[in-house]
Amino acid sequence: MALSRRSFSALAGTAALGLALGGGSAGTEAPSAHAARSVPTGPPPRPPSADGRRHTVGFDRHSLLVDGRRLVLWSGEMHPFRLPSPSLWRDVLQKLRAHGHNAVSVCVAWNYHSPAPGQYDFTGVRDLDLFLRTAAETGLYVVLRPGPYIGAEVDGGGLPGWLTATEGSARTFDPAYLKHADEWLGRVNAIAARHLFTRGTGTVLLYRIENGYDAHADEPAGRAYLSHLYKKVRADGIDVPLFHNDRGGNGHWTPGSSDTGGAGAGPRTPGFVPESGGGRPDAWGGALFRGEGYAEVRRTWDAAYERRSHLTHLAGGITVHNVRMAFGGTSWGWLPAPVVYTSYDYGAALDEGRRPTGKLVPLHQIGHMLQRVPDLAGLDRAADVKVPGLRAYHLRNPDTGAHVYVLRNDGDEEVSSTLRAAGTDLPVTVPARDARLMVTHLMLGRRRMRYSTAQPMALLAAGRQDVAVFCGRQGEMARVVLECAEEPLVTRLSEQAAYVYDQGLLRVTVPLGAGGLIGVRVEGDGNERPLMLLFADEATSMRLWPYDTPSGSLLVHGPALLRTAVVRGSTVHLTGDTVAESGLEVWGPRGIGALTWNGRAVPASVTGSASVRAHAPLPGVPEVRLPALGGWRMRTENPEAGPGFDDSAWQVADRTSSFSTTPVPKGQPVLFADDYGFHYGDVWYRGTFTDATGVESVSLAYSTGTQGLLMAWLDGHPLGTYRMPVPDRSTVRQGSWAGTAVFPLDPWLRGSGRHVLSVLVRRMQHDQDGGARDTHKAARGLTAVTFGGAAPKVRWRIQGAAAPDPVRGPLNNGGLYGEREGWHLPGFPDGDWERVSFPRAVRRQGVTWYRTTFELAVDPDVDASVGLTLEDDRHRAYRTQIFLNGWNMGQYVNGVGPQHTFVLPNGILRTRGTNILALAVLSELTTLSGPGRVRLTLLGSAAGGVPVTPVASPGR
């Protein structure tokens, strides 16, 4: 399938995915999915909300159409399941909106909501209804992505663990699978139907079926599968446009190839990139195997990359766009697919701690530009232009006559050149591996701009004047030329600005960054509305916040973040964040004269530029102090290794057949953990046999996800540990690993009588089923056990996680003894545990638990992002599960991978109160184990934030 109606060279690493928008449902009130008439360039639709009115959603070859108005969709992706604190969903959504996004793309993970067949949970941290309501309240459209398969580097690609032990081939037309998939979609669609933008009850604008499905694309069964999902979604009342991304743009799902009743990508559809930019997931071993992790991702996929990528997309006709990820979050518990570790920072513009990074600058500038320069929604290819040293794209809006030039530098050196446009040679400089956008003949309110060498960021009407914002790099000279029939009255609000009027043209010249925001006011040229020109370098542009209210548009300058704005009478009520002291200035509707900030009145007055400016700076953030961690208590576990442990309540592992894709070895029972209902976390085996006479060794074959391991004991005596290798460049995406541990037996262990072979397997997670080959069904746990020198008959029992935590869900816990007994939970009585201090240096095979309590007293008006940092001698072989107030925040593997700091999200973390921290350390005999240094780390803080409701964290 073609990426768009226009061809262009996508940048390396960009997810070039095709569009397939479905038509309306069979109902008579379904919206039109294709525009039969031409829609002229005009103002975009108002920000969305659950307004109770019906809306139409359609498209033509240029863009989406909402109620007959052109909409450039600039979506940012976040996954609510990677931020298990519903209060913070609002924080991230408000940041997306503030930084230029008008939509959020949301995956819904089947495994996250379904612990067992027929069981579904949409409460607490899984409250999809709450998330969709919050998105509507924030003013964001929603692109909903419920799969059934979502990929997204989650366990099984989102397919539930219990599906591994059922008949039927996943992601196919197999009726056994479709029964489960239909039930899942039915549950999600019942919620989604209450939030459809078409009905005015929410802001769900687009709906994606499946993910990257190109398996069986040329077979009737594959086409029938997508057709079935399409019909199921429509039958459930979802009447917004549907789409499916054709992974790699292979042309598999062109119009007519499947019975979806709607259009596919082609000459009548807008260009669509559902997954682009943002960053990328990082594998075990670190980005590019240099141990730098997401810092390396952010360095290579930097701000220049983002600008170059997204401006190229605009040049290629992309007007439906999703940045993945805008916020990555945390793959907490046993959520991550085996190919990635706990952090899902993704190198995103908003990091895992919800803090802005340098990559946010171009996204902020481009996002606001796409929303507030309507000419960009209807561009056509124009005559080719040549710019020496640069790749040039030339586009034109046929309605307005505006010309857009995207100039891209693919080289490793900065290029300075000239662009012939608007009858003159315009100077242009583009840094290495970067791009820039220039516009000519653009209307700025009621005045036409001949050209600008700076990128427009926003155009808005603020009261009786028009405001135009231009941005660029610090130190650049911005030139804006306006067509004026008579000499205007020009007021320089900053002495750095210069201007000259000659022969009907007003030429304004501004050195960007010389004194912050630079303003020039133009009036008195026969036009009744003044024009305010504002110029910002990159740092200043990140303190400019356009915002639409029912009373009119605002432009706010100064704070680190604007969250909300409401106009009541003459007062503008603002909420947001500050980091350092900052000014506050607002341009807005006529008659405003007073300001409040986060509920407090701010002394201010009206200026000569028709703005309202605070008399004193807003305060910065007060200091946040974190306590040192001490008072540790310790207890060892794994009694399962001992011969006298009572395993009578464990399941007998005696099955002879399996739905797994891993063959059952001849003569062996099924030992695969999933077949006995243990789908996440660690699993224990105990094999009892009599008479070890003649047994020289035991061979344990097992299968895990990346970085799995196995530990074995015979009659309580440690036999050793076997680890899967750290991935290298050739195996970085390998999700299932098989190995065989061979342990020789000491002569004194070979006697007659009863013997118990105990095995602990850290199974890691299920592979993603990216190719619809049931790879998620590969075995986890032991696969076969054989003996050297003799062949005793073994009776096996198996135990994994206990019943799923009713609040934290099935992905929180595994089968460690301490987990089954609640050692990770608040309220567990650890008073009789041994007192210890860190660093620790012990040699033990098995599991040791450590618990401590700490108090925080963060100012309630401060949003502090806190992490837990672990560091040790990298040659020590151990790994640690981190439990905060009973929530499994992730797995630290000492010496493997780049992750040392784990984000502790507010809500689970009591920033004003008591917290319980538990560490489950799984160590080997080959080296001393830690933990070494364990400390709280302040990742960032801001005055403001959102109110945070504590997440339920039940104890014993």
Side-chain angles (χ1 to χ4, degrees):
M1 178 181 297
L3 173 63
S4 77
R5 67 189 183 278
R6 311 178 186 97
S7 62
F8 71 99
S9 298
L11 295 174
T14 298
L17 307 180
L19 170 72
L21 289 172
S25 68
T28 58
E29 297 183 3
S32 169
H34 175 67
R37 60 184 179 82
S38 176
V39 176
T41 298
R46 293 189 59 80
S49 65
D51 57 12
R53 298 194 294 266
R54 286 196 171 263
H55 299 276
T56 62
V57 183
F59 60 87
D60 65 8
R61 68 188 183 92
H62 285 297
S63 70
L64 291 175
L65 302 171
V66 171
D67 297 331
R69 295 186 179 187
R70 293 203 177 281
L71 174 71
V72 177
L73 199 73
W74 182 249
S75 171
E77 186 156 344
M78 71 167 292
H79 299 155
F81 54 80
R82 285 192 161 107
L83 185 57
S85 178
S87 297
L88 297 184
W89 297 344
R90 186 179 300 275
D91 172 71
V92 174
L93 291 172
Q94 287 181 345
K95 287 172 178 173
L96 293 184
R97 189 218 60 79
H99 288 295
H101 291 287
N102 57 8
V104 59
S105 176
V106 184
C107 284
V108 189
W110 187 357
N111 58 0
Y112 189 65
H113 294 274
S114 181
Q119 296 182 23
Y120 296 90
D121 182 4
F122 289 94
T123 64
V125 298
R126 294 164 180 79
D127 193 340
L128 177 61
D129 190 89
L130 173 61
F131 182 87
L132 296 177
R133 292 202 311 273
T134 306
E137 292 165 2
T138 309
L140 292 173
Y141 295 106
V142 174
V143 180
L144 195 65
R145 303 173 54 182
Y149 175 85
I150 62 170
E153 288 76 48
V154 299
D155 182 285
L159 300 178
W162 55 260
L163 197 68
T164 63
T166 63
E167 62 180 336
S169 297
R171 308 185 72 197
T172 73
F173 197 59
D174 190 315
Y177 162 72
L178 289 178
K179 173 186 174 183
H180 299 301
D182 283 354
E183 185 175 66
W184 161 244
L185 290 178
R187 296 299 184 103
V188 175
N189 292 341
I191 298 171
R194 300 197 295 267
H195 297 273
L196 296 176
F197 181 67
T198 48
R199 301 181 184 179
T201 53
T203 57
V204 175
L205 184 77
L206 299 177
Y207 182 112
R208 180 163 110 172
I209 296 173
E210 257 287 338
N211 175 65
Y213 187 80
D214 59 1
H216 315 297
D218 297 323
E219 302 174 12
R223 295 192 292 272
Y225 172 54
L226 278 195
S227 176
H228 175 91
L229 296 182
Y230 175 91
K231 292 174 181 176
K232 166 62 180 172
V233 171
R234 286 296 186 222
D236 286 343
I238 306 302
D239 61 6
V240 298
L242 311 181
F243 73 95
H244 164 69
N245 62 310
D246 174 16
R247 187 171 64 183
N250 294 314
H252 290 157
W253 305 106
T254 53
S257 65
S258 58
D259 180 15
T260 58
R268 297 188 303 170
T269 63
F272 190 0
V273 178
E275 297 180 3
S276 175
R280 62 185 175 195
D282 187 36
W284 287 102
L288 304 181
F289 303 92
R290 288 200 287 263
E292 298 174 4
Y294 285 110
E296 174 68 9
V297 175
R298 189 166 280 111
R299 186 188 70 81
T300 54
W301 291 40
D302 60 3
Y305 170 87
E306 297 293 338
R307 183 163 38 245
R308 182 166 164 257
S309 174
H310 301 309
L311 290 181
T312 302
H313 287 164
L314 175 64
I318 305 300
T319 58
V320 185
H321 196 288
N322 179 54
V323 176
R324 182 175 186 265
M325 301 289 295
F327 166 77
T330 303
S331 296
W332 59 279
W334 296 108
L335 182 66
V339 294
V340 295
Y341 47 91
T342 298
S343 176
Y344 202 68
D345 180 285
Y346 215 85
L350 290 174
D351 70 16
E352 190 179 358
R354 301 174 289 111
R355 302 299 162 184
T357 72
K359 291 179 62 172
L360 198 55
V361 173
L363 300 178
H364 178 91
Q365 295 173 344
I366 294 172
H368 285 298
M369 176 183 70
L370 293 177
Q371 289 191 56
R372 297 182 178 277
V373 182
D375 305 68
L376 302 180
L379 298 175
D380 286 329
R381 285 277 186 177
D384 290 343
V385 295
K386 300 295 183 181
V387 181
L390 299 173
R391 181 160 188 174
Y393 302 88
H394 179 199
L395 305 107
R396 179 180 180 274
N397 186 300
D399 296 326
T400 67
H403 291 251
V404 174
Y405 302 86
V406 172
L407 308 173
R408 198 177 89 190
N409 182 358
D410 295 333
D412 296 324
E413 301 290 338
E414 181 176 275
V415 172
S416 293
S417 190
T418 57
L419 165 69
R420 183 67 181 177
T424 189
D425 291 327
L426 304 180
V428 56
T429 297
V430 184
R433 299 286 172 181
D434 207 333
R436 67 182 303 167
L437 178 141
M438 298 171 67
V439 179
T440 68
H441 301 96
L442 179 68
M443 291 300 297
L444 306 183
R446 300 185 183 182
R447 292 173 176 83
R448 182 174 292 276
M449 181 189 75
R450 177 69 60 87
Y451 67 81
S452 170
T453 61
Q455 177 181 308
M457 179 176 140
L459 305 176
L460 64 154
R464 289 183 172 179
Q465 69 179 342
D466 298 314
V467 178
V469 180
F470 294 88
C471 59
R473 290 191 302 160
Q474 183 179 20
E476 288 186 340
M477 189 65 70
R479 296 175 175 85
V480 171
V481 176
L482 298 179
E483 297 176 356
C484 300
E486 56 188 73
E487 184 170 1
L489 173 63
V490 179
T491 304
R492 295 186 306 156
L493 306 180
S494 309
E495 62 181 12
Q496 294 87 351
Y499 70 92
V500 62
Y501 178 77
D502 182 47
Q503 296 182 359
L505 296 178
L506 175 67
R507 303 176 187 272
V508 179
T509 305
V510 172
L512 296 177
L517 185 65
I518 299 176
V520 175
R521 195 165 192 250
V522 181
E523 57 187 324
D525 56 340
N527 195 313
E528 63 183 22
R529 287 181 63 84
L531 172 64
M532 175 64 66
L533 298 173
L534 297 175
F535 298 87
D537 65 346
E538 292 184 331
T540 305
S541 72
M542 293 299 291
R543 296 167 54 211
L544 282 169
W545 310 101
Y547 198 101
D548 293 317
T549 77
S551 302
S553 297
L554 302 173
L555 180 66
V556 178
H557 173 238
L561 179 71
L562 177 69
R563 294 184 179 273
T564 65
V566 176
V567 179
R568 297 192 188 100
S570 62
T571 302
V572 182
H573 301 270
L574 306 170
T575 67
D577 296 359
T578 58
V579 175
E581 284 191 350
S582 64
L584 178 63
E585 187 170 12
V586 180
W587 289 267
R590 178 186 177 190
I592 63 172
L595 303 175
T596 70
W597 178 255
N598 290 340
R600 298 182 179 92
V602 175
S605 57
V606 179
T607 72
S609 64
S611 67
V612 182
R613 183 184 299 153
H615 294 163
L618 300 176
V621 60
E623 181 183 7
V624 175
R625 295 184 178 181
L626 301 178
L629 297 176
W632 292 96
R633 292 182 177 271
M634 179 274 289
R635 185 173 181 179
T636 60
E637 57 129 288
N638 51 280
E640 303 94 333
F645 180 81
D646 182 7
D647 61 15
S648 60
W650 289 19
Q651 291 192 43
V652 176
D654 58 0
R655 297 186 178 183
T656 58
S657 62
S658 172
F659 293 115
S660 173
T661 55
T662 302
V664 179
K666 185 177 181 180
Q668 296 267 344
V670 174
L671 296 175
F672 314 155
D674 285 298
D675 286 71
Y676 298 95
F678 305 122
H679 305 302
Y680 308 108
D682 299 309
V683 62
W684 273 97
Y685 298 85
R686 282 172 56 87
T688 304
F689 60 98
T690 57
D691 194 359
T693 304
V695 176
E696 298 176 352
S697 64
V698 58
S699 297
L700 305 172
Y702 73 118
S703 177
T704 72
T706 312
Q707 283 299 287
L709 63 73
L710 171 151
M711 291 181 171
W713 295 258
L714 183 61
D715 300 333
H717 175 75
L719 298 181
T721 299
Y722 187 103
R723 287 182 292 164
M724 296 299 181
V726 178
D728 58 22
R729 292 184 184 274
S730 64
T731 57
V732 64
R733 303 304 296 175
Q734 180 177 324
S736 288
W737 297 70
T740 300
V742 180
F743 299 116
L745 301 187
D746 292 335
W748 61 273
L749 291 172
R750 304 177 188 177
S752 60
R754 178 178 179 271
H755 296 274
V756 178
L757 177 62
S758 300
V759 182
L760 172 63
V761 179
R762 176 142 293 182
R763 42 173 292 150
M764 302 304 278
Q765 295 90 358
H766 304 93
D767 198 1
Q768 297 183 106
D769 184 25
R773 296 186 297 270
D774 272 351
T775 51
H776 66 297
K777 288 187 176 182
R780 293 294 183 261
L782 287 179
T783 55
V785 180
T786 56
F787 297 86
K793 186 175 182 180
V794 183
R795 178 179 174 85
W796 287 101
R797 289 183 181 270
I798 184 172
Q799 177 65 51
D805 187 310
V807 173
R808 301 175 182 93
L811 293 160
N812 195 72
N813 297 349
L816 296 180
Y817 181 85
E819 291 178 293
R820 304 198 306 270
E821 294 297 312
W823 293 8
H824 62 299
L825 295 175
F828 180 82
D830 59 10
D832 61 343
W833 287 22
E834 179 184 349
R835 291 184 180 274
V836 296
S837 60
F838 292 159
R840 295 279 290 167
V842 297
R843 190 182 299 273
R844 181 175 188 269
Q845 177 174 294
V847 185
T848 305
W849 284 76
Y850 301 89
R851 285 172 57 96
T852 191
T853 300
F854 64 92
E855 303 274 344
L856 293 180
V858 178
D859 188 306
D861 294 327
V862 170
D863 177 13
S865 182
V866 178
L868 185 75
T869 299
L870 298 89
E871 296 174 315
D872 208 340
D873 179 349
R874 65 181 303 272
H875 297 293
R876 294 183 177 182
Y878 71 92
R879 55 187 66 188
T880 302
Q881 282 177 258
I882 300 165
F883 292 93
L884 175 67
N885 297 323
W887 290 82
N888 183 348
M889 290 288 92
Q891 178 181 199
Y892 166 73
V893 182
N894 189 58
V896 178
Q899 185 168 13
H900 297 276
T901 297
F902 295 75
V903 172
L904 309 176
N906 299 344
I908 290 178
L909 179 70
R910 309 303 195 231
T911 57
R912 295 184 62 79
T914 302
N915 296 275
I916 306 297
L917 180 64
L919 306 178
V921 178
L922 181 60
S923 58
E924 306 177 22
L925 269 177
T926 55
T927 70
L928 292 172
S929 75
R933 295 167 296 281
V934 181
R935 69 179 188 277
L936 297 173
T937 302
L938 182 64
L939 305 176
S941 61
V946 297
V948 176
T949 301
V951 176
S953 299
R956 300 180 73 242

